[in-house]
Protein backbone atom coordinates (compact mmCIF):
# COMPACT_ATOMS: atom_id res chain seq x y z
CA UNK A 1 0.00 0.00 0.00
CA UNK A 2 1.43 3.44 -0.90
CA UNK A 3 2.54 5.53 2.03
CA UNK A 4 1.27 9.07 2.33
CA UNK A 5 3.40 12.19 2.68
CA UNK A 6 0.25 14.29 3.18
CA UNK A 7 -0.22 15.98 6.55
CA UNK A 8 -3.46 17.26 8.04
CA UNK A 9 -4.80 19.43 10.82
CA UNK A 10 -8.34 19.13 12.13
CA UNK A 11 -11.07 21.35 13.53
CA UNK A 12 -14.16 20.20 15.36
CA UNK A 13 -16.81 21.57 13.03
CA UNK A 14 -20.13 20.71 14.67
CA UNK A 15 -21.97 18.79 17.33
CA UNK A 16 -22.54 15.87 14.97
CA UNK A 17 -21.77 14.38 11.54
CA UNK A 18 -20.39 16.66 8.83
CA UNK A 19 -22.17 15.57 5.66
CA UNK A 20 -20.95 18.21 3.22
CA UNK A 21 -17.96 20.46 2.64
CA UNK A 22 -17.56 23.00 -0.16
CA UNK A 23 -14.87 25.53 -0.96
CA UNK A 24 -15.45 29.01 -2.39
CA UNK A 25 -14.06 29.58 -5.90
CA UNK A 26 -11.21 31.71 -4.53
CA UNK A 27 -10.38 29.15 -1.84
CA UNK A 28 -10.73 31.55 1.09
CA UNK A 29 -13.98 30.19 2.57
CA UNK A 30 -15.09 26.70 3.50
CA UNK A 31 -18.74 25.78 4.02
CA UNK A 32 -19.85 22.79 6.08
CA UNK A 33 -23.26 21.08 6.27
CA UNK A 34 -24.03 18.98 9.32
CA UNK A 35 -26.43 16.76 11.24
CA UNK A 36 -27.03 19.51 13.81
CA UNK A 37 -29.09 21.48 11.23
CA UNK A 38 -26.42 24.13 10.68
CA UNK A 39 -24.41 25.43 7.76
CA UNK A 40 -21.17 27.09 8.82
CA UNK A 41 -18.88 29.39 6.87
CA UNK A 42 -15.22 29.16 7.84
CA UNK A 43 -12.29 31.46 7.21
CA UNK A 44 -9.74 29.03 5.76
CA UNK A 45 -6.68 31.03 6.79
CA UNK A 46 -7.80 31.26 10.42
CA UNK A 47 -9.75 28.02 10.86
CA UNK A 48 -12.56 29.97 12.48
CA UNK A 49 -16.30 30.28 11.87
CA UNK A 50 -17.30 33.52 10.13
CA UNK A 51 -21.05 32.86 10.01
CA UNK A 52 -23.39 30.19 11.34
CA UNK A 53 -26.39 29.81 9.03
CA UNK A 54 -29.41 28.60 10.98
CA UNK A 55 -32.78 27.85 9.39
CA UNK A 56 -32.87 24.22 8.36
CA UNK A 57 -35.01 21.94 10.49
CA UNK A 58 -33.06 18.72 10.68
CA UNK A 59 -29.89 17.40 9.09
CA UNK A 60 -28.20 19.38 6.32
CA UNK A 61 -26.77 17.02 3.72
CA UNK A 62 -25.33 19.26 1.06
CA UNK A 63 -23.82 22.68 0.48
CA UNK A 64 -22.37 24.34 -2.63
CA UNK A 65 -20.96 27.77 -3.53
CA UNK A 66 -22.31 29.75 -6.47
CA UNK A 67 -19.70 30.40 -9.19
CA UNK A 68 -19.58 34.07 -8.13
CA UNK A 69 -18.50 33.03 -4.61
CA UNK A 70 -21.01 35.46 -3.10
CA UNK A 71 -23.81 32.96 -2.50
CA UNK A 72 -24.21 29.34 -1.48
CA UNK A 73 -27.00 26.77 -1.52
CA UNK A 74 -27.90 24.02 0.95
CA UNK A 75 -30.40 21.20 1.28
CA UNK A 76 -31.42 18.64 3.88
CA UNK A 77 -34.04 16.53 5.63
CA UNK A 78 -36.62 19.33 5.87
CA UNK A 79 -37.04 18.98 2.05
CA UNK A 80 -36.01 22.61 1.57
CA UNK A 81 -33.44 24.19 -0.72
CA UNK A 82 -32.01 27.43 0.65
CA UNK A 83 -29.86 30.17 -0.82
CA UNK A 84 -27.60 32.23 1.45
CA UNK A 85 -25.49 35.36 1.19
CA UNK A 86 -21.89 34.21 1.75
CA UNK A 87 -20.78 37.63 2.97
CA UNK A 88 -23.43 38.21 5.63
CA UNK A 89 -24.87 34.74 6.31
CA UNK A 90 -28.36 36.05 5.52
CA UNK A 91 -30.89 33.66 4.00
CA UNK A 92 -31.92 34.92 0.56
CA UNK A 93 -34.67 32.42 -0.17
CA UNK A 94 -36.10 29.11 1.00
CA UNK A 95 -38.07 26.78 -1.27
CA UNK A 96 -39.50 23.29 -1.06
CA UNK A 97 -40.22 21.38 -4.25
CA UNK A 98 -39.40 17.87 -3.05
CA UNK A 99 -41.46 15.51 -0.92
CA UNK A 100 -38.43 14.07 0.85
CA UNK A 101 -34.91 15.01 1.91
CA UNK A 102 -32.45 16.78 -0.41
CA UNK A 103 -29.18 14.91 -0.94
CA UNK A 104 -27.33 17.07 -3.45
CA UNK A 105 -27.28 20.54 -5.01
CA UNK A 106 -25.23 22.00 -7.86
CA UNK A 107 -25.06 25.33 -9.65
CA UNK A 108 -25.04 25.71 -13.40
CA UNK A 109 -21.54 26.97 -14.36
CA UNK A 110 -23.15 30.07 -15.89
CA UNK A 111 -24.77 30.71 -12.50
CA UNK A 112 -28.40 31.07 -13.62
CA UNK A 113 -29.82 27.77 -12.38
CA UNK A 114 -29.55 25.56 -9.31
CA UNK A 115 -30.31 21.83 -9.37
CA UNK A 116 -31.38 19.81 -6.33
CA UNK A 117 -31.66 16.02 -6.05
CA UNK A 118 -33.83 14.19 -3.56
CA UNK A 119 -34.66 10.93 -1.85
CA UNK A 120 -38.04 11.14 -3.61
CA UNK A 121 -36.30 10.32 -6.92
CA UNK A 122 -36.77 13.77 -8.46
CA UNK A 123 -34.52 16.62 -9.55
CA UNK A 124 -35.67 20.23 -9.26
CA UNK A 125 -34.32 23.14 -11.28
CA UNK A 126 -34.49 26.59 -9.68
CA UNK A 127 -33.77 30.11 -10.88
CA UNK A 128 -30.95 31.35 -8.66
CA UNK A 129 -31.98 35.01 -8.54
CA UNK A 130 -35.64 34.49 -7.69
CA UNK A 131 -35.93 30.95 -6.31
CA UNK A 132 -38.59 30.20 -8.93
CA UNK A 133 -39.06 26.50 -9.69
CA UNK A 134 -38.35 26.01 -13.40
CA UNK A 135 -39.24 22.32 -13.61
CA UNK A 136 -39.20 19.00 -11.82
CA UNK A 137 -37.48 16.10 -13.56
CA UNK A 138 -38.74 12.59 -12.84
CA UNK A 139 -37.32 9.29 -13.97
CA UNK A 140 -35.44 7.60 -11.14
CA UNK A 141 -37.46 5.10 -9.07
CA UNK A 142 -35.08 5.42 -6.12
CA UNK A 143 -33.00 8.05 -4.31
CA UNK A 144 -31.07 10.52 -6.43
CA UNK A 145 -27.86 10.89 -4.43
CA UNK A 146 -25.84 13.03 -6.82
CA UNK A 147 -26.53 15.71 -9.41
CA UNK A 148 -24.07 17.77 -11.46
CA UNK A 149 -24.24 20.14 -14.43
CA UNK A 150 -22.00 19.59 -17.44
CA UNK A 151 -19.40 22.29 -18.08
CA UNK A 152 -21.51 23.93 -20.82
CA UNK A 153 -24.56 24.03 -18.53
CA UNK A 154 -26.76 22.42 -21.18
CA UNK A 155 -27.03 18.99 -19.57
CA UNK A 156 -27.50 17.57 -16.10
CA UNK A 157 -26.19 14.23 -14.85
CA UNK A 158 -27.84 12.35 -12.01
CA UNK A 159 -26.71 9.29 -10.09
CA UNK A 160 -29.16 7.11 -8.19
CA UNK A 161 -29.48 4.21 -5.81
CA UNK A 162 -31.41 2.53 -8.65
CA UNK A 163 -27.95 1.66 -10.08
CA UNK A 164 -28.23 4.02 -13.03
CA UNK A 165 -26.89 7.40 -14.05
CA UNK A 166 -28.92 9.56 -16.42
CA UNK A 167 -28.24 12.57 -18.61
CA UNK A 168 -30.95 15.22 -18.93
CA UNK A 169 -31.42 18.18 -21.24
CA UNK A 170 -31.61 21.29 -19.05
CA UNK A 171 -33.75 23.32 -21.47
CA UNK A 172 -36.55 20.72 -21.67
CA UNK A 173 -35.99 18.19 -18.88
CA UNK A 174 -35.87 15.42 -21.49
CA UNK A 175 -33.84 12.30 -20.78
CA UNK A 176 -30.98 12.06 -23.28
CA UNK A 177 -29.25 8.90 -22.09
CA UNK A 178 -29.11 6.41 -19.24
CA UNK A 179 -26.47 3.85 -18.34
CA UNK A 180 -26.32 1.00 -15.85
CA UNK A 181 -23.58 0.77 -13.23
CA UNK A 182 -24.18 -2.96 -12.77
CA UNK A 183 -26.36 -3.26 -9.69
CA UNK A 184 -24.35 -0.71 -7.77
CA UNK A 185 -26.02 2.20 -6.03
CA UNK A 186 -24.42 5.60 -6.70
CA UNK A 187 -23.52 7.96 -3.85
CA UNK A 188 -22.05 10.94 -5.72
CA UNK A 189 -21.44 12.33 -9.19
CA UNK A 190 -18.82 14.73 -10.55
CA UNK A 191 -17.42 15.69 -13.95
CA UNK A 192 -13.96 16.99 -14.82
CA UNK A 193 -13.26 20.54 -15.98
CA UNK A 194 -13.48 19.86 -19.72
CA UNK A 195 -16.67 17.82 -19.38
CA UNK A 196 -15.32 14.60 -20.89
CA UNK A 197 -15.17 12.38 -17.81
CA UNK A 198 -17.73 11.40 -15.18
CA UNK A 199 -16.85 10.17 -11.71
CA UNK A 200 -19.17 7.99 -9.65
CA UNK A 201 -18.65 6.85 -6.05
CA UNK A 202 -20.49 3.64 -5.31
CA UNK A 203 -22.12 1.72 -2.49
CA UNK A 204 -19.77 -1.26 -2.90
CA UNK A 205 -16.75 0.98 -2.26
CA UNK A 206 -15.65 1.29 -5.87
CA UNK A 207 -15.06 4.49 -7.82
CA UNK A 208 -16.04 4.46 -11.49
CA UNK A 209 -14.46 6.65 -14.18
CA UNK A 210 -16.68 7.04 -17.25
CA UNK A 211 -16.26 8.51 -20.73
CA UNK A 212 -19.13 10.95 -21.24
CA UNK A 213 -18.87 10.87 -25.03
CA UNK A 214 -19.18 7.11 -25.43
CA UNK A 215 -20.99 6.48 -22.11
CA UNK A 216 -18.61 3.63 -21.35
CA UNK A 217 -16.66 2.94 -18.19
CA UNK A 218 -12.95 3.58 -18.57
CA UNK A 219 -12.01 1.88 -15.33
CA UNK A 220 -13.23 0.96 -11.90
CA UNK A 221 -10.95 1.73 -8.97
CA UNK A 222 -11.29 -0.66 -6.06
CA UNK A 223 -9.49 0.09 -2.83
CA UNK A 224 -12.11 0.92 -0.24
CA UNK A 225 -13.53 -1.84 1.94
CA UNK A 226 -16.82 -0.03 2.65
CA UNK A 227 -19.04 2.39 0.65
CA UNK A 228 -17.32 5.27 -1.12
CA UNK A 229 -19.43 8.27 -0.10
CA UNK A 230 -17.78 10.80 -2.39
CA UNK A 231 -15.24 11.14 -5.17
CA UNK A 232 -13.88 14.31 -6.80
CA UNK A 233 -11.41 15.36 -9.47
CA UNK A 234 -8.47 17.57 -8.66
CA UNK A 235 -8.67 20.94 -10.49
CA UNK A 236 -6.14 19.82 -13.12
CA UNK A 237 -8.06 16.57 -13.66
CA UNK A 238 -5.01 14.39 -13.04
CA UNK A 239 -6.01 13.00 -9.65
CA UNK A 240 -9.11 11.68 -7.95
CA UNK A 241 -9.82 11.78 -4.24
CA UNK A 242 -12.40 9.42 -2.72
CA UNK A 243 -13.75 9.29 0.83
CA UNK A 244 -15.21 6.19 2.40
CA UNK A 245 -16.95 4.54 5.32
CA UNK A 246 -13.63 2.74 5.90
CA UNK A 247 -12.38 6.05 7.45
CA UNK A 248 -9.84 6.67 4.69
CA UNK A 249 -9.32 9.01 1.77
CA UNK A 250 -7.63 7.53 -1.30
CA UNK A 251 -5.87 9.55 -3.99
CA UNK A 252 -5.86 7.94 -7.42
CA UNK A 253 -4.00 8.61 -10.67
CA UNK A 254 -6.60 9.35 -13.37
CA UNK A 255 -4.44 8.10 -16.24
CA UNK A 256 -3.72 4.68 -14.74
CA UNK A 257 -6.15 4.16 -11.88
CA UNK A 258 -3.20 3.56 -9.55
CA UNK A 259 -3.58 4.32 -5.86
CA UNK A 260 -1.17 7.17 -5.10
CA UNK A 261 -1.81 7.78 -1.40
CA UNK A 262 -4.11 6.68 1.39
CA UNK A 263 -4.86 9.37 3.95
CA UNK A 264 -5.79 8.34 7.48
CA UNK A 265 -6.80 10.52 10.39
CA UNK A 266 -10.59 10.62 10.49
CA UNK A 267 -12.04 8.45 13.23
CA UNK A 268 -15.14 7.45 11.29
CA UNK A 269 -16.72 7.65 7.79
CA UNK A 270 -15.43 10.36 5.45
CA UNK A 271 -18.48 11.83 3.75
CA UNK A 272 -17.34 14.83 1.73
CA UNK A 273 -14.25 16.27 0.02
CA UNK A 274 -13.14 19.49 -1.66
CA UNK A 275 -9.88 20.44 -3.37
CA UNK A 276 -8.41 23.93 -3.15
CA UNK A 277 -8.47 25.78 -6.51
CA UNK A 278 -4.77 25.09 -7.08
CA UNK A 279 -5.03 21.44 -5.99
CA UNK A 280 -2.38 21.78 -3.27
CA UNK A 281 -4.76 21.20 -0.37
CA UNK A 282 -7.67 18.87 0.25
CA UNK A 283 -10.54 19.40 2.72
CA UNK A 284 -12.59 16.58 4.24
CA UNK A 285 -15.50 16.12 6.64
CA UNK A 286 -17.20 13.15 8.22
CA UNK A 287 -18.96 11.33 11.01
CA UNK A 288 -16.29 12.19 13.60
CA UNK A 289 -17.66 15.78 13.61
CA UNK A 290 -14.42 17.23 12.28
CA UNK A 291 -13.13 18.88 9.16
CA UNK A 292 -9.53 18.41 8.09
CA UNK A 293 -7.26 20.31 5.76
CA UNK A 294 -4.56 18.18 4.13
CA UNK A 295 -1.34 19.47 2.55
CA UNK A 296 1.01 17.43 0.37
CA UNK A 297 4.02 19.71 0.64
CA UNK A 298 4.59 20.57 4.31
CA UNK A 299 7.36 22.99 3.25
CA UNK A 300 4.74 25.06 1.42
CA UNK A 301 5.13 28.63 2.71
CA UNK A 302 1.38 28.89 3.30
CA UNK A 303 0.98 25.55 5.04
CA UNK A 304 2.70 26.36 8.33
CA UNK A 305 0.71 29.52 9.20
CA UNK A 306 -2.60 27.89 8.25
CA UNK A 307 -1.75 24.71 10.15
CA UNK A 308 -0.75 26.75 13.21
CA UNK A 309 -3.91 28.87 13.01
CA UNK A 310 -6.15 25.77 12.80
CA UNK A 311 -4.37 24.14 15.74
CA UNK A 312 -4.67 27.30 17.83
CA UNK A 313 -8.37 27.66 17.00
CA UNK A 314 -8.97 23.99 17.83
CA UNK A 315 -7.24 24.34 21.21
CA UNK A 316 -9.30 27.46 22.02
CA UNK A 317 -12.51 25.68 21.07
CA UNK A 318 -11.61 22.68 23.20
CA UNK A 319 -10.77 24.88 26.20
CA UNK A 320 -14.03 26.81 25.83
CA UNK A 321 -16.01 23.57 25.57
CA UNK A 322 -14.34 22.15 28.68
CA UNK A 323 -15.03 25.38 30.60
CA UNK A 324 -18.69 25.32 29.55
CA UNK A 325 -19.05 21.70 30.65
CA UNK A 326 -17.43 22.47 34.00
CA UNK A 327 -19.76 25.42 34.54
CA UNK A 328 -22.81 23.34 33.66
CA UNK A 329 -21.71 20.64 36.11
CA UNK A 330 -21.19 23.22 38.84
CA UNK A 331 -24.66 24.64 38.26
CA UNK A 332 -26.12 21.15 38.38
CA UNK A 333 -24.44 20.43 41.71
CA UNK A 334 -25.59 23.74 43.19
CA UNK A 335 -29.13 23.14 41.99
CA UNK A 336 -29.17 19.61 43.44
CA UNK A 337 -27.95 20.78 46.84
CA UNK A 338 -30.41 23.69 47.22
CA UNK A 339 -33.51 21.63 48.29
CA UNK A 340 -31.43 19.73 50.86
CA UNK A 341 -30.23 22.97 52.44
CA UNK A 342 -33.80 24.36 52.53
CA UNK A 343 -34.98 21.18 54.24
CA UNK A 344 -32.30 21.37 56.92
CA UNK A 345 -33.11 25.01 57.70
CA UNK A 346 -36.90 24.75 57.74
CA UNK A 347 -37.62 21.16 58.63
CA UNK A 348 -38.57 20.21 55.11
CA UNK A 349 -41.49 22.63 55.03
CA UNK A 350 -41.82 25.62 52.71
Amino acid sequence: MPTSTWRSVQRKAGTDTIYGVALSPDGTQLATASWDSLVKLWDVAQGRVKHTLAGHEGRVYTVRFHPDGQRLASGGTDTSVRLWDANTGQELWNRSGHSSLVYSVDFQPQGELLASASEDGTICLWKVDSGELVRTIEGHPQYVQGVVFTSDGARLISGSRDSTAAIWEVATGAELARFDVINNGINSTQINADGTRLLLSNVDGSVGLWDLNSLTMIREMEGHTYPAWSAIFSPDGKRIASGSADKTIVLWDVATGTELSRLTGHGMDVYSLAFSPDGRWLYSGGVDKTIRVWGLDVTDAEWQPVSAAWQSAEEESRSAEEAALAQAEQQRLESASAPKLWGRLFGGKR
Side-chain angles (χ1 to χ4, degrees), residues 22-49:
L23 203 64
S24 61
D26 64 5
T28 63
Q29 294 189 86
L30 181 72
T32 57
S34 58
W35 181 294
D36 57 16
S37 79
L38 300 175
V39 175
K40 292 183 179 179
L41 280 172
W42 301 76
D43 182 307
V44 167
Q46 297 299 318
R48 298 177 187 276
V49 176

Side-chain angles (χ1 to χ4, degrees), residues 154-216:
R155 294 169 295 162
L156 196 64
I157 302 173
S158 58
S160 171
R161 283 295 180 91
D162 66 13
S163 301
T164 70
I167 303 176
W168 312 88
E169 185 177 55
V170 170
T172 64
E175 182 178 320
L176 301 176
R178 186 179 294 255
F179 47 102
D180 194 342
V181 293
I182 315 174
N183 299 320
N184 199 356
I186 298 168
N187 285 324
S188 73
T189 58
Q190 202 204 24
I191 62 169
N192 63 351
D194 66 11
T196 61
R197 298 289 185 265
L198 172 67
L199 197 57
L200 303 176
S201 66
N202 302 318
V203 172
D204 69 355
S206 65
V207 177
L209 181 65
W210 293 73
D211 185 309
L212 273 179
N213 295 317
S214 63
L215 300 185
T216 57

Side-chain angles (χ1 to χ4, degrees), residues 10-346:
Q10 76 169 28
R11 286 286 282 114
K12 185 175 180 181
T15 58
D16 220 307
T17 297
I18 307 301
Y19 282 113
V21 297
L23 203 64
S24 61
D26 64 5
T28 63
Q29 294 189 86
L30 181 72
T32 57
S34 58
W35 181 294
D36 57 16
S37 79
L38 300 175
V39 175
K40 292 183 179 179
L41 280 172
W42 301 76
D43 182 307
V44 167
Q46 297 299 318
R48 298 177 187 276
V49 176
K50 292 177 59 178
H51 299 292
T52 297
L53 315 183
H56 279 286
E57 298 176 4
R59 289 164 279 178
V60 188
Y61 276 106
T62 180
V63 65
R64 191 77 67 229
F65 275 94
H66 187 274
D68 66 12
Q70 305 302 306
R71 293 167 287 181
L72 68 154
S74 61
T77 56
D78 60 6
T79 77
S80 73
V81 177
R82 297 169 190 252
L83 189 73
W84 310 85
D85 186 308
N87 296 310
T88 65
Q90 178 185 359
E91 183 180 284
L92 300 176
W93 52 255
N94 165 18
R95 303 288 186 270
S96 184
H98 297 287
S99 62
S100 191
L101 63 88
V102 177
Y103 275 124
S104 177
V105 293
D106 191 48
F107 284 102
Q108 190 180 39
Q110 295 75 15
E112 296 179 2
L113 297 175
L114 172 69
S116 58
S118 171
E119 185 182 53
D120 65 12
T122 68
I123 302 161
C124 286
L125 287 174
W126 311 86
K127 288 186 178 180
V128 171
D129 289 340
S130 65
E132 177 188 345
L133 178 63
V134 177
R135 67 176 50 85
T136 299
I137 298 173
E138 300 179 352
H140 285 292
Q142 294 187 37
Y143 308 173
V144 183
Q145 296 274 106
V147 65
V148 62
F149 281 97
T150 54
S151 52
D152 61 5
R155 294 169 295 162
L156 196 64
I157 302 173
S158 58
S160 171
R161 283 295 180 91
D162 66 13
S163 301
T164 70
I167 303 176
W168 312 88
E169 185 177 55
V170 170
T172 64
E175 182 178 320
L176 301 176
R178 186 179 294 255
F179 47 102
D180 194 342
V181 293
I182 315 174
N183 299 320
N184 199 356
I186 298 168
N187 285 324
S188 73
T189 58
Q190 202 204 24
I191 62 169
N192 63 351
D194 66 11
T196 61
R197 298 289 185 265
L198 172 67
L199 197 57
L200 303 176
S201 66
N202 302 318
V203 172
D204 69 355
S206 65
V207 177
L209 181 65
W210 293 73
D211 185 309
L212 273 179
N213 295 317
S214 63
L215 300 185
T216 57
M217 188 167 67
I218 298 170
R219 67 177 54 87
E220 191 172 58
M221 290 157 280
E222 299 178 331
H224 290 297
T225 54
Y226 288 97
W229 295 122
S230 61
I232 60 172
F233 286 104
S234 62
D236 62 8
K238 295 180 179 180
R239 289 173 295 167
I240 291 166
S242 58
S244 169
D246 65 13
K247 310 176 188 178
T248 71
I249 300 165
V250 175
L251 294 172
W252 310 87
D253 181 86
V254 170
T256 64
T258 303
E259 181 178 324
L260 301 173
S261 299
R262 185 173 292 261
L263 314 184
T264 59
H266 278 287
M268 300 180 76
D269 304 37
V270 181
Y271 264 120
S272 188
L273 302 165
F275 270 109
S276 62
D278 56 17
R280 291 183 302 161
W281 297 353
L282 177 68
Y283 300 83
S284 59
V287 180
D288 62 6
K289 309 176 188 177
T290 69
I291 49 174
R292 283 180 175 265
V293 55
W294 304 79
L296 174 59
D297 183 1
V298 294
T299 65
D300 185 335
E302 293 183 40
W303 172 255
Q304 189 55 43
V306 168
S307 177
W310 278 50
Q311 290 179 52
S312 176
E314 176 70 5
E315 289 168 4
E316 288 179 19
S317 294
R318 188 180 298 113
S319 296
E321 185 175 325
E322 290 173 354
L325 289 172
Q327 183 178 12
E329 177 63 13
Q330 182 63 31
Q331 291 174 343
R332 185 190 69 79
L333 292 173
E334 292 174 355
S335 176
S337 65
K340 296 178 182 178
L341 178 59
W342 183 278
R344 289 198 298 270
L345 291 175
F346 298 100

